Amino acid sequence: MQRILKAAIAALWFMLLTLPVLGIKLNVAAKTVVWRFDRILALGAGIFVLALIWDWCFSRKAAGAKIITLPKCFNLAEIIESFRNSAGLRLGGLAVLAVVLIGMPLVSSFYQTNIMISALLYVMLALGLNIVVGLAGQLVLGYVAFYAIGAYTYGLLNQYFGLGFWTCLPIGGFLTVLFGLGLGFPVLRLRGDYLAIVTLGFGEIVRLTLQNWNTVTGGPRGVSDIPRPGFFGMSMDITASTTYIYYLVLAAVVVTIVVITRLKNSRVGLALQALREDEIACEAMGVDITRVKLSAFALGSCWAGFAGVIFAAKTTYINPSSFTFMESAMILSMVVLGGMGSIAGVVIAALILILAPEYLRAFSDYRMLLFGAIMVIMMLFRPQGLISGERRRYRISNLHGAEGGR
């Protein structure tokens, strides 16, 4: 009874709050007022049902019971574990995925290829931020600044010096590493909210500099007529060029995944994960905290620089409005939603967050509402992310038994 009463109060509050917006239609020309009580009643009924479901879910969660018991074929944890333990399943899944990704631009439309390019670029960005946030545990909110530096590196070097894409690609990565180190030095002693505020300020400084430095960056007008990457001097139309950029980004994503996977299992990667778990214990064990933090900022910013150069080549036009705080928030959401430190989870989350709004366009004005509802439900049922980061396990052998048998 108490649960029903709470749901009724919540529905009543929503009906009262939305009455001026949804329940009244003013006709200024005819000076009439039309009351739409049917909408308010429908909204109240929906809120009542959702409030009941919400209260039931949290009561089961507080009692330690599972909210939903999925069949084994839909159990995400068991599917992931089976792929980890079976080499045949891994190779088969990777082979199918490779065939789908390689053949996609050949069978899909120009629009679909463009969407996939954007999604793969965000995969690169999310994996780069995963080094800093997921592995090292350093909360960075201005990551889009490195993305902007990479894009403007290509745009300005091409505009003023005529340098091509393949020349600017390593330069963009190198410059973002320098900026990452420049940001890393002042924040070595900061952590948590203070680090987030400083990095947020860095992102805004970069954006405002690009917007107000009219003589160099073009200000709000940005940089236009940026050439697309060439292929041994061949002339390509926009469709062929887009397909070429797709395969270029796909190759870049594969390289990113391989490098970050090797990095995660290397000595540097283990030092980053130790820093994330306990900075004081990490330093007490002899790990150079300064070098580890600077490595995290340098490695994370490098991939954003590469992605920025490719983004400028894809769009052929850049301006400061493409690099706002919302981009940083979206990239950070991919890392959190996918699972801190998880490479496969971050890739899946980046694809979902970029592709879902595009494929929900059929729902018109309600697509972002559905998108937000999916995010809320996801964080309720999987707060650790789609795929939780895999932790190393050490097994101590029976040394006494081994010695006795010698």
Side-chain angles (χ1 to χ4, degrees):
M1 187 64 186
Q2 187 177 3
R3 185 178 296 172
I4 296 175
L5 182 61
K6 287 182 179 179
I9 293 173
L12 182 61
W13 269 111
F14 267 89
M15 291 168 65
L16 292 175
L17 291 173
T18 57
L19 179 63
V21 179
L22 298 178
I24 301 175
K25 182 180 179 181
L26 299 177
N27 191 332
V28 180
K31 296 182 179 181
T32 58
V33 178
V34 179
W35 295 89
R36 296 181 172 181
F37 291 110
D38 54 339
R39 289 187 174 187
I40 300 300
L41 291 174
L43 177 65
I47 295 298
F48 179 77
V49 174
L50 290 175
L52 286 176
I53 296 173
W54 183 279
D55 190 74
W56 177 80
C57 290
F58 271 93
S59 62
R60 286 184 62 85
K61 190 174 182 181
K66 289 185 177 181
I67 299 175
I68 296 177
T69 303
L70 295 174
K72 289 186 177 180
C73 58
F74 294 104
N75 195 320
L76 183 61
E78 291 189 4
I79 293 173
I80 295 168
E81 195 63 28
S82 63
F83 268 90
R84 284 176 177 172
N85 296 331
S86 175
L89 283 176
R90 285 201 307 269
L91 292 176
L94 289 175
V96 172
L97 182 63
V99 170
V100 171
L101 291 176
I102 292 173
M104 199 208 105
L106 305 178
V107 297
S108 62
S109 63
F110 176 79
Y111 171 70
Q112 300 292 338
T113 305
N114 256 319
I115 293 175
M116 279 303 299
I117 292 174
S118 299
L120 292 174
L121 280 175
Y122 275 96
V123 168
M124 283 185 66
L125 290 168
L127 288 173
L129 185 61
N130 193 34
I131 298 175
V132 187
V133 178
L135 295 182
Q138 306 297 305
L139 183 56
V140 175
L141 293 181
Y143 189 69
V144 74
F146 303 113
Y147 188 37
I149 290 169
Y152 269 87
T153 296
Y154 179 35
L156 296 178
L157 287 179
N158 178 265
Q159 184 179 30
Y160 291 107
F161 302 102
L163 298 182
F165 171 81
W166 294 108
T167 305
C168 293
L169 186 63
I171 295 176
F174 178 72
L175 281 179
T176 49
V177 167
L178 293 181
F179 275 92
L181 293 174
L183 175 63
F185 273 109
V187 301
L188 285 174
R189 295 184 178 274
L190 299 178
R191 66 182 72 177
D193 299 338
Y194 300 101
L195 176 62
I197 292 170
V198 171
T199 55
L200 174 61
F202 173 74
E204 287 301 302
I205 288 171
V206 171
R207 185 183 66 84
L208 292 174
T209 301
L210 296 175
Q211 188 167 352
N212 294 301
W213 202 359
N214 295 317
T215 56
V216 177
T217 64
R221 297 190 308 274
V223 182
S224 58
D225 297 328
I226 303 173
R228 293 185 173 88
F231 185 71
F232 297 106
M234 295 175 56
S235 60
M236 293 181 286
D237 58 8
I238 187 169
T239 303
S241 179
T242 302
T243 304
Y244 174 54
I245 293 175
Y246 170 83
Y247 285 119
L248 178 65
V249 178
L250 181 60
V253 169
V254 172
V255 172
T256 304
I257 293 174
V258 172
V259 171
I260 294 179
T261 303
R262 298 296 299 271
L263 171 70
K264 184 178 178 181
N265 298 319
S266 67
R267 292 182 61 185
V268 177
L270 294 177
L272 292 174
Q273 295 172 64
L275 176 67
R276 177 191 64 194
E277 297 299 331
D278 194 324
E279 184 173 333
I280 297 175
C282 180
E283 189 172 12
M285 293 300 293
V287 177
D288 190 346
I289 296 296
T290 301
R291 188 168 67 176
V292 171
K293 283 189 177 181
L294 292 178
S295 300
F297 278 100
L299 292 170
S301 61
C302 178
W303 297 110
F306 291 145
V309 174
I310 298 174
F311 172 76
K314 168 187 173 287
T315 58
T316 70
Y317 170 74
I318 53 174
N319 67 340
S321 62
S322 301
F323 309 102
T324 60
F325 168 71
M326 288 306 299
E327 298 296 318
S328 292
M330 182 64 73
I331 300 168
L332 182 62
S333 300
M334 296 170 188
V335 177
V336 175
L337 182 63
M340 303 282 279
S342 171
I343 295 174
V346 170
V347 172
I348 295 172
L351 293 175
I352 291 174
L353 290 182
I354 298 303
L355 297 179
E358 294 296 332
Y359 292 115
L360 287 174
R361 286 185 182 275
F363 296 96
S364 185
D365 296 335
Y366 300 100
R367 67 188 183 100
M368 294 310 294
L369 180 63
L370 292 172
F371 178 65
I374 292 171
M375 287 282 291
V376 171
I377 293 171
M378 178 63 206
M379 297 313 295
L380 283 175
F381 290 103
R382 293 284 298 181
Q384 71 272 31
L386 288 171
I387 303 176
S388 57
E390 184 180 0
R391 296 178 181 269
R392 281 178 171 258
R393 296 180 177 89
Y394 297 94
R395 182 177 298 172
I396 300 175
S397 60
N398 190 353
L399 298 178
H400 297 290
E403 289 176 359
R406 288 180 181 177

